[in-house]
Amino acid sequence: MKINNNYDNLVPNYLFAEVAKRTNEFISKNPEKKVIKLGIGDVTLPLAPVVVEAMKQGAEELGSKETFKGYPDYEGYEFLRQAISDYYKSFGVTVAADEIFVSDGAKSDCGNIGDIFGTDNTVLVTDPVYPVYVDSNIMAGREIVYADSTEKNGFAAMPPKDTEADIIYLCSPNNPTGSAYTYNELEAWIEYALENDAIILYDAAYEAFITEEVPRSIFAVEGARKCAIEFCSLSKTAGFTGTRCGYTVIPKELERDGHNLNKLWYRRQATKFNGVSWPVQRGAAAVFSEEGQKQIKENIAYYQENARIISSAMDELGIYYTGGKNSPYIWLKCPDGMDSWEFFDYLLENANVVGTPGEGFGSNGAGYFRLTSFGDRGNTIEAVERIKKLLSKK
Ligand SMILES: *Cc1c(COP(=O)(O)O)cnc(C)c1O
């Protein structure tokens, strides 16, 4: 027998393992020092009270014969899909409930969506990139091409000239660069996709962090229904990283190669996925209630204030960065021409602060660094004070 030898083409990603190794070494050599981690890409605030209450009720319902639920619908319960559809309506985007597929998260959907596309398609990703888009397509044996995110375009790559692609992954607001596409920029991507007969796979996992006048959904932009699929998640929006719930939107009229993609994805999910649990779907629906929105916005505002604290320190230090405004991430240029790992060590040793070296996200990340606002307020303030003291001396 043979394994899928595309796995041999995966480049080992040592990023987070190496970050943990260097951090732990430092801590064991300096047990008296308080190390603050601004590298985490995971939320830290608890679930909103209305969500917890709905999940408890969901568990109770499973415990009684009259309200017990077995297998859920593959695409998610109607009440949750309708709540998501209404949520889109709240920011002016029309997406019907039967265009929404509830899932266990955006990461799985971003990877699994490849099941409905042939393996001889060329995949375009922006560099730096969320590694899932690259690795899941290497596993499938697809060719990958890159569009450069650099200082020139504010770390928001635009369609490359003379490069063709069939599948295009975009993430806005972006992880790791924090940049968010404007209407005009997304129009340019849609035009490029339509010219190439391509599909845009749009990851909107951070849409809830948007504060400026940029699209919350690619479906806010003309033409997207002819070329785009959108992924979103309650992970960063409502603290569901451990609870697991996301959703994917596929317009009913979206077709390629004589096939309807909404129907193909339904077929795929019905074959390989058995849905999201009842208590989690009850909790997810509570996120979209009026009270739920109020409560999750308090948590998002907390992270946004952390992001503002970090960004304003970068402003004071005169350090170039993107993000922080529509995103929990601050993507900064390492000072004095240091490379990403040099800066990592410098910051760890002299400020006892941990961040994420940019080169772990792609070659354009070399010389850049990611800080996150998902930490505790007090720690964020302390870390920023230490960074300011260290770097203003230089
Ligand atoms: C965190 C994150 C997600 C969310 O993934 P889940 O599987 O829903 O937790 C999706 N895309 C990006 C870019 C992310 O950073």
Side-chain angles (χ1 to χ4, degrees), residues 104-108 130 133 171 175 203 205-206 233 235-236 241 244-245 329:
D104 62 339
K107 179 174 170 176
S108 13
Y130 180 55
Y133 314 151
C171 178
N175 179 10
D203 186 342
Y206 296 95
S233 167
S235 282
K236 316 302 161 37
T241 53
R244 312 304 309 141
C245 193
Y329 300 119

